[in-house]
Each structure stands twice: as structure tokens, then as C-alpha cells.
Amino acid sequence: MVNPHHESLFIGGRWVTPASAEKITVLGSSTEDVLGSVPAGTEKDIDAAVDAARAAFDDPHGWAAWQPARRADALRRLADALERRKEAVTRTVSAQNGMTITLSEQVEGVLPTTLLRYYADLIRDDTGEDIRDGMLGAPVHVRREPLGVVAAIVPWNAPQLLSATKYAPGLAAGCTFVLKPSPETVLDAVLFAEAVEEADLPPGVINIVPAGREVGAYLVSHPDVDKVAFTGSTAAGRQIAATCGSLLRPVTLELGGKSAAVILDDVDLGTAIAEPFFHATLLANGQACFASTRVLAPRSRYDEVVDAVSSLVGGLTVGDPLDPGTQIGPMAGARQRDRVEGYIEKGKAEGARLVVGGTRPASEKGFYVTPTVFADVDNSQTIAREEIFGPVLSVIAYTDEDDAVRIANDSEYGLGGSVWTDNDERGMRVARRIHTGTIGLNHYTVDPAAPFGGVKASGLGREFGPEALRNYQQIKSIYR
Ligand code: NAD
């Protein structure tokens, strides 16, 4: 990294002096060394960023008023500029949050540019207006207008992707943005700002203010914000929803999860308990919102499932996230590691049987937790109910298909999930009965063409797919 200590903020299309001299310093998740720093945004910086986004949005000849094809070209320029920084972005994310480099290359390197090009193509020829036959003998014009200034608040686990799930459809729709990255992952946001600058987007269309939760809460309640797009914990989501509720401000919330991997009794464990199962349950070191961390096993084959899952998890390569051979990297920081270790202790204290892991690996540095499997877990225990956000699986026994569905649905959350079977029709039947926003059959891979999001405490609204454009549009009817 050329200049890991940054002194300015990207607001209004320029690098400006922040309101405060305070800094956010990021430690390497595997080294605990200082990786770099950025200015810590304050309420004054948020004011400046919202003003810039407001001015860009309100400009009668500006971004929101551009023909969609012109915006589509700008989105493609941004995709190209990001692609030129792909290696730096993916390495920076991995070094900060511990995501393995092989995953980061796809999730943080490729997907944001894919989304930008996808939404560019979706809106290029969109007139933004449908004309309907009215019921009163005259036509009605139904318009999709951009919502306005968006406050986008993202977590640290996939910072580039989770920013792109907001700005790609939002920019396509004609909105302008204030993006607030999480303090754990602010260095990749600088690379993103450089890409925005290079892509020559009009000043103020994207503004970036790295900051913590208090400043985030200030942004959510700012009078000149028209919409909030949030990804993060359910606890923060509830607070943001309360603020937006009182302001009657549109909000989309992508929150936590505690999804189930339902292993049906016909499954060939040799096929199921392999690469796709690892991806569905422990992707991103277990720091993935949709991870199927409750493994539901048929009582008739319980020991077999526990053995297979434990040997898979026990055999994973834990190490440096920047090494392409690593399967499990460190937690994003000491706070996350302590949190995961706290849950492991709770699991033991509540009587679950620790089968593998549960310790720190021998390495001297880095926020590592050994991938862990608990057996004999009851769905009422804390480790089965609360989101751990680390590499910890709980194997829970069920009696029959109805019982499996009942346990899968017995959760505050409903975000992801997976069904493992050799019988496709049976798998589809079970998948349809599970209360969740997304679910996979014999794998779990989020497909950006389809809407993604949660039910219950996992959130409100959907990202991805054409549906995401609607998050950033206001519908207006003109009766002619
Ligand atoms: P977090 O809620 O602590 O923080 C997320 C972001 O919100 C950060 O930028 C933080 O500074 C900000 N923030 C926190 N409280 C706020 C408030 N009251 N007002 C405004 N901003 C606030 O979450 P985290 O620990 O950074 O991320 C992990 C969580 O994110 C997990 O619960 C995970 O499941 C969830 N997540 C969900 C999805 C999804 O798509 N559903 C994707 C990734 C992560």
C-alpha cells in the first residue's frame, strides 16, 4: 500500500480536510500491526457530505436529471476504475477483516463491478415512465423517480460488496450517496473513493465518511437524507428502523442471521460434506450473515453427520488470509474474537459437547479462533439462538422432516439456509417450507440476479436483482 495514512475525506468530489484531527487506525487481522489510518468522520463532516449529496441531487441538470444511458456510462466507468484497483482492494480487505484472499477476489473484487455493469444495463433503455389506460377514460403516467439522498451504512465483513449492493442500483436510479464504512474496514473505502474520482462522477454523487456508530446514527437522522440503506447487526437495525419510523423515512435493512443447514436422511454425506457445505456454513471464517451455522441432522444418522462435519471442519487450513491456500482466516478484530470465544464458553457451560476446535491456534499473532463444532446442541441453547459471527457450528438432532422444518423455523432470524439431499423434489419441498429470505439446495451461493434479504429479525426489503432498483425509486402518478 502506497500511502496507508490518509489525511483527507472524499466529499463533494474533492479530498477535503476533515473537521477533526482524530483518526481511525486499522490493525491487520492476522498481524495485529497497524495497516493504516484515515480521518475519523464527525457530525460536521456528515453535514458537509449530506450538503454535497443534496446539491448534486437537486441540480436540475445534474445526476438525477441525466438520461439513464448517460448514468449507465458513468456506472461502467466506475466499474472499470474499480477493476483497475481490484488487486489492491481485495488484498486490503483481506488484510483488514481476515477474509481469505480467494474469497475476497470474488466477493470484494469481482462482484462490485459485476453489479455496476448489471444495473447500468438494466436502466440504460429505461424510460422511467409507463403509460397506462386509466379507468376514467384518460391515460395515467406512472413514473419511477429517484428517491434522493441515500445514507448507506455498511459493516466490515464484506465492505466493498455491501456498499455496491446499495450504490450500484441507487446510482442507476439517479440517487446520490453518503457512504459510511465501518471503522474496521476504512482503507478499502479510500481505494473506492479514488475510483469514484477517476470515473469522473459529478461532484457530490458519492461522498464517503468513515466513522463509528454515533456518527452513523447522526447520519440516519439527518434532515436532508431521503433514504437509509443499512447492512449490519439486528440490534443496530432496530435502532435505525426506530429513527426512520419516526421520520417516516424509507429504509432497507439487511441484518443478522442464524440459518439452518437441513441434512435430510437420504443424503450421501460424501457429496454433501464437502466444498459446497463448507461454503454454506463457514464462508468468510463464519463472518457471513447467511451462514447455515445450525446443522440439523436426522437422529437416525446423527453420529455419522457429527463425524463427517467434524472431520471436514477439523481438517480446514487455518492461516494467513493473504495465502491462497488458507480456508479459514482470523476474525476481523479482538472484539470479534472475544465475542466468538464468549459464545464457545457459553456453549460448553450450557452442556453442548465440544467435538473439534474451541481454542486459539498456536500462532502468536492475529485474531484467530479454531473452527469449532458443537454436538448435542438443543435449539433452545444460546449458541443455537444467537448469531455468533465466527467459525462455530452447532449440530442439532431432529426426528423427521416436519421436526426438521419446525426447528429450522424456530428462530428469531430468517436470512439464508440450505437443504442437503439426494432427492431434488424432496429438497425443494423442504426449502419451500422454511421461513427465510433465501435458501440453497445442496449449496448456498448468492446469485446477484435474484433478490436477497431476510424475514423476521433478519431485515426489511431486498437487495440484488431488478427488485433492488425499487429501493431507490419513488413512484409518481400523473393523471392526464
Ligand atoms: P454493526 O451493526 O455493529 O455495524 C454495522 C455498521 O453500522 C457499521 O458501519 C457501524 O458503525 C454502523 N452502526 C452501528 N450502530 C449504528 C446505529 N445505531 N446507527 C447508525 N449506524 C450504526 O454490525 P457489524 O458488527 O459491523 O457487522 C456484523 C453484522 O452485520 C452481523 O450481524 C451480520 O449478520 C450483519 N450482516 C448482515 C448482512 C445482510 O445482508 N443481511 C450482510 C453482512 C453482515
Side-chain angles (χ1 to χ4, degrees):
M1 271 170 280
V2 186
N3 174 18
H5 295 284
H6 302 275
E7 305 297 335
S8 43
L9 294 175
F10 188 70
I11 294 175
R14 295 184 304 124
W15 293 95
V16 302
T17 305
S20 143
E22 211 185 306
K23 295 296 246 351
I24 297 173
T25 300
V26 187
L27 299 185
S29 53
S30 62
T31 60
E32 302 182 38
D33 292 337
V34 171
L35 286 180
S37 63
V38 301
T42 62
E43 294 184 359
K44 274 195 176 150
D45 299 310
I46 292 287
D47 288 343
V50 175
D51 284 354
R54 180 87 264 155
F57 185 79
D58 289 345
D59 178 351
H61 306 293
W63 184 253
W66 282 10
Q67 287 301 314
R70 192 173 168 196
R71 282 204 300 271
D73 289 343
L75 261 63
R76 283 193 158 266
R77 286 201 304 277
L78 179 55
D80 294 344
L82 267 178
E83 204 159 81
R84 283 191 278 277
R85 290 163 176 78
K86 187 177 143 195
E87 203 192 331
V89 166
T90 55
R91 291 183 72 81
T92 303
V93 171
S94 290
Q96 291 171 112
N97 72 2
M99 178 186 278
T100 60
I101 191 71
T102 43
L103 184 64
S104 183
E105 277 165 4
Q106 290 308 311
V107 170
E108 299 289 276
V110 173
L111 269 177
T113 56
T114 306
L115 287 177
L116 278 164
R117 292 177 183 135
Y118 173 78
Y119 288 105
D121 292 348
L122 266 188
I123 50 130
R124 183 172 293 281
D125 299 319
D126 186 7
T127 59
E129 191 166 302
D130 299 331
I131 305 174
R132 293 185 193 166
D133 290 336
M135 291 187 184
L136 305 176
V140 180
H141 291 236
V142 179
R143 287 176 53 73
R144 296 175 292 280
E145 299 183 344
L147 245 173
V149 173
V150 180
I153 300 179
V154 295
W156 45 264
N157 66 326
Q160 289 293 313
L161 172 64
L162 298 171
S163 302
T165 58
K166 295 160 187 58
Y167 68 67
L171 292 177
C175 293
T176 60
F177 277 76
V178 177
L179 173 66
K180 192 206 78 64
S182 191
E184 291 84 349
T185 43
V186 285
L187 300 175
D188 56 296
V190 176
L191 295 166
F192 175 61
E194 288 170 6
V196 173
E197 190 180 28
E198 186 183 304
D200 202 20
L201 264 56
V205 166
I206 294 187
N207 311 274
I208 302 169
V209 184
R213 59 188 54 202
E214 288 78 19
V215 174
Y218 179 78
L219 172 61
V220 168
S221 63
H222 196 289
D224 265 335
V225 164
D226 298 305
K227 189 227 150 65
V228 177
F230 174 75
T231 299
S233 62
T234 295
R238 285 187 205 282
Q239 290 173 10
I240 290 168
T243 304
C244 290
S246 69
L247 294 168
L248 293 178
R249 180 165 292 172
V251 61
T252 34
L253 301 167
E254 296 286 353
L255 310 177
K258 192 75 200 177
S259 303
V262 182
I263 300 188
L264 296 180
D265 57 8
D266 61 23
V267 83
D268 172 359
L269 285 173
T271 339
I273 307 299
E275 192 76 7
F277 189 81
F278 163 61
H279 281 152
T281 56
L282 288 173
L283 197 77
N285 318 328
Q287 301 178 135
C289 51
F290 49 67
S292 295
T293 52
R294 289 184 298 145
V295 178
L296 309 195
R299 219 172 266 292
S300 57
R301 297 181 66 188
Y302 188 76
D303 291 342
E304 219 187 313
V305 172
V306 171
D307 287 350
V309 172
S310 308
S311 73
L312 170 89
V313 173
L316 293 170
T317 307
V318 181
D320 177 0
L322 294 171
D323 179 341
T326 295
Q327 292 172 294
I328 295 279
M331 304 292 93
R335 185 172 65 102
Q336 275 68 42
R337 182 196 45 202
D338 294 349
R339 180 185 152 93
V340 175
E341 288 180 340
Y343 277 113
I344 291 172
E345 287 313 310
K346 222 168 234 172
K348 290 193 239 168
E350 291 183 8
R353 173 163 59 93
L354 182 66
V355 190
V356 290
T359 54
R360 285 185 194 183
S363 74
E364 285 169 23
K365 288 252 171 99
F367 307 114
Y368 288 94
V369 177
T370 311
T372 301
V373 177
F374 278 106
D376 303 339
V377 179
D378 188 275
N379 199 48
S380 63
Q381 287 171 351
T382 308
I383 55 168
R385 302 218 71 82
E386 297 184 12
E387 184 183 48
I388 298 175
F389 225 56
V392 182
L393 301 184
S394 297
V395 190
I396 302 168
Y398 70 83
T399 48
D400 56 19
E401 206 173 286
D402 284 346
D403 195 36
V405 170
R406 180 191 64 75
I407 297 171
N409 289 339
D410 178 14
S411 173
E412 189 196 355
Y413 298 104
L415 185 58
S418 49
V419 183
W420 304 82
T421 175
D422 278 7
N423 179 335
D424 224 52
E425 278 315 304
R426 189 179 175 207
M428 286 299 288
R429 187 173 72 217
V430 172
R432 288 191 182 102
R433 293 177 66 194
I434 294 178
H435 302 153
T436 185
T438 61
I439 189 159
L441 206 53
N442 293 329
H443 78 112
Y444 182 93
T445 316
V446 174
D447 186 329
F452 172 90
V455 300
K456 301 189 274 184
S458 290
L460 289 176
R462 295 291 179 269
E463 294 189 323
F464 290 122
E467 286 82 0
L469 276 174
R470 307 289 170 259
N471 295 336
Y472 300 96
Q473 292 170 329
Q474 192 82 267
I475 304 294
K476 180 157 98 193
S477 298
I478 305 180
Y479 314 120
R480 239 172 121 166

